[in-house]
Amino acid sequence: SAKVKRKTFVSDGEAASDGKDLRQQAGEIMAYMKANNYEVLEAGETITFRGLVKKSLSQALFLTFCTALGMASLALVLQIQFQDLTLPGIGSPNWFYLTLLGPYAGLFYWRSGDRLDDIKVKLLSSDDDTENEIVVEGNDDEIERMWRTLDLREKGMVKVEGILAA
């Protein structure tokens, strides 16, 4: 299951210059979620979106590769550490057979399959309408993508332009 986090973001409200009212902000969030295959599950004070995160062949292959590489590293260490080891009935073990466990990591990932992902969004406005507050609870990776795409600021943080941003 995915790591669930709760974060609060702010954007300029309708009273600020170049600000957005809550309806416009909600529309942008709704459009973002629809574009990323999320559907509205529940709408009230808090809007709950549900999306299906599909399993990825490239991720399964990457896990297989990383596990095989890790097992090969372990085999190398065991080969050096136990050079003179002789097991009864087997003889001298070939530790590099451990790399054959690599595909099982990809198979395990593939069998766990698709997962449902819920994201909860709550919109609030400051009393003087200068700031919109967006409380988001859900998958950490999806929240990260969302705030970058919608150009939101995390509450209490100051946005500093990078040296190469031009």
Side-chain angles (χ1 to χ4, degrees), residues 36-47:
N36 286 289
N37 296 322
Y38 281 83
E39 295 295 324
V40 176
L41 185 67
E42 196 179 303
E45 191 177 316
T46 301
I47 305 166

Side-chain angles (χ1 to χ4, degrees), residues 112-166:
S112 63
D114 304 334
R115 74 171 200 275
L116 286 175
D117 206 13
D118 286 357
I119 293 188
K120 295 180 181 183
V121 178
K122 184 176 184 179
L123 289 169
L124 305 164
S125 182
S126 62
D127 294 333
D128 57 359
D129 284 336
T130 56
E131 202 172 65
N132 294 331
E133 197 169 290
I134 301 121
V135 181
V136 184
E137 183 179 321
N139 179 344
D140 193 29
D141 296 333
E142 191 59 46
I143 291 174
E144 185 78 16
R145 252 190 312 275
M146 184 173 122
W147 78 262
R148 288 185 188 281
T149 304
L150 297 177
D151 200 29
L152 303 171
R153 296 183 311 276
E154 195 165 349
K155 189 172 185 178
M157 302 286 188
V158 177
K159 185 175 182 178
V160 179
E161 289 297 328
I163 297 170
L164 301 175

Side-chain angles (χ1 to χ4, degrees), residues 44-104:
E45 191 177 316
T46 301
I47 305 166
T48 304
F49 296 95
R50 176 165 283 169
L52 184 68
V53 180
K54 293 203 170 286
K55 54 190 171 192
S56 160
L57 179 61
S58 61
Q59 197 158 15
L61 294 173
F62 180 70
L63 281 169
T64 299
F65 171 74
C66 288
T67 305
L69 192 66
M71 289 295 148
S73 300
L74 176 63
L76 183 62
V77 170
L78 292 172
Q79 194 82 26
I80 292 168
Q81 190 67 31
F82 300 111
Q83 289 178 10
D84 301 329
L85 179 70
T86 307
L87 298 173
I90 298 174
S92 183
N94 184 348
W95 297 106
F96 287 95
Y97 284 131
L98 287 173
T99 57
L100 297 176
L101 294 174
Y104 289 105

